[in-house]
Amino acid sequence: NQSSASNPTSAPVPERVLSYSITVQKYRDNKPFEPPFQLAKEMLFERDYQIRLNVSSPQSGFLYILNEGPHKEGQPPEFVVLFPSTSSNSGSALISERQQIQIPEKSWIKFDQEKGTEKVWLVFSPKAVPELEPLRNYASQKTQGLITDASLRDSVQQFLRTHAESRPTVAQNAEQKETRISAPTEVLVHAIDLEHQ
């Protein structure tokens, strides 16, 4: 019938798309060792590897990236804000179409000395996400990105867990060495598992 066709709630939600790859730099005795190499997806990382995340989208939108460190069950996780950051993209979460974002822009992600799995959460939305906008207050040298406010940490965790239930489609492209994630949802949420030994 005509009324449902004109009803805005029945309009299809446009697909959100994000691509990422991982650049790996081996280190020995605190010095870069061998040229860096690119991966389409996660692997089991050695402790002295350092990595950089490369993220882009064919769409413009608001991008938020958080690192969740390894933690024991029953204990709250620690979240570190990787993007938006004061050191890249003028501190803004808004990225333009096909803009390449490197996390971190000028250095590398070093693994925790503890063995375990860290998660890097990617959140991509056409609009600013109210639950995540306060993150920019922690993306500074002073806090090293660590969310120190327990209530914000809990609301971020709740947001990620809730949205992660609608799992996006994940496709690896071995030729271009990147992973494409897509979801027919307003907000795309995906966790990359970084396991290190």
Side-chain angles (χ1 to χ4, degrees):
N1 67 26
Q2 283 305 113
S3 64
S4 68
S6 61
N7 183 347
T9 55
S10 64
V13 176
E15 189 179 53
R16 303 301 296 160
V17 177
L18 206 55
S19 294
Y20 74 86
S21 64
I22 298 168
T23 303
V24 182
Q25 174 65 68
K26 294 182 184 180
Y27 271 74
R28 245 193 218 160
D29 303 320
N30 293 325
K31 292 190 186 75
F33 168 70
E34 295 181 358
F37 58 94
Q38 192 167 312
L39 296 171
K41 62 185 177 66
E42 307 85 315
M43 60 177 264
L44 179 60
F45 297 98
E46 299 292 334
R47 196 170 38 194
D48 53 0
Y49 284 11
Q50 296 187 18
I51 65 165
R52 185 177 282 148
L53 206 54
N54 314 297
V55 184
S56 68
S57 173
Q59 305 156 324
S60 61
F62 287 79
L63 178 66
Y64 305 88
I65 303 178
L66 293 133
N67 176 246
E68 178 184 336
H71 58 94
K72 294 183 178 69
E73 211 167 315
Q75 288 188 341
E78 283 194 338
F79 288 105
V80 172
V81 182
L82 301 177
F83 192 85
S85 149
T86 48
S87 64
S88 67
N89 204 39
S90 310
S92 171
L94 180 61
I95 63 165
S96 50
E97 293 165 29
R98 312 208 180 282
Q99 183 179 347
Q100 286 282 346
I101 296 292
Q102 285 192 327
I103 309 293
E105 195 173 36
K106 299 181 179 70
S107 59
W108 299 88
I109 295 171
K110 290 182 189 164
F111 289 116
D112 205 297
Q113 287 308 301
E114 282 177 60
K115 206 164 132 175
T117 302
E118 303 190 27
K119 285 183 188 297
V120 173
W121 290 93
L122 304 175
V123 179
F124 189 50
S125 167
K127 300 193 283 275
V129 177
E131 295 91 335
L132 303 183
E133 276 297 299
L135 297 181
R136 63 182 75 243
N137 300 330
Y138 295 90
S140 67
Q141 288 298 326
K142 199 173 109 185
T143 61
Q144 298 289 308
L146 180 67
I147 298 175
T148 50
D149 180 310
S151 65
L152 177 61
R153 179 199 66 210
D154 293 347
S155 76
V156 165
Q157 184 180 13
Q158 183 60 39
F159 174 87
L160 295 173
R161 299 287 182 268
T162 306
H163 283 80
E165 286 167 11
S166 53
R167 293 180 179 279
T169 303
V170 178
Q172 260 100 38
N173 182 326
E175 228 169 85
Q176 292 180 332
K177 294 199 167 125
E178 67 176 22
T179 293
R180 181 183 185 271
I181 44 181
S182 58
T185 52
E186 186 81 355
V187 180
L188 171 67
V189 175
H190 178 69
I192 303 170
D193 289 329
L194 301 176
E195 194 180 346
H196 51 92
Q197 57 188 25

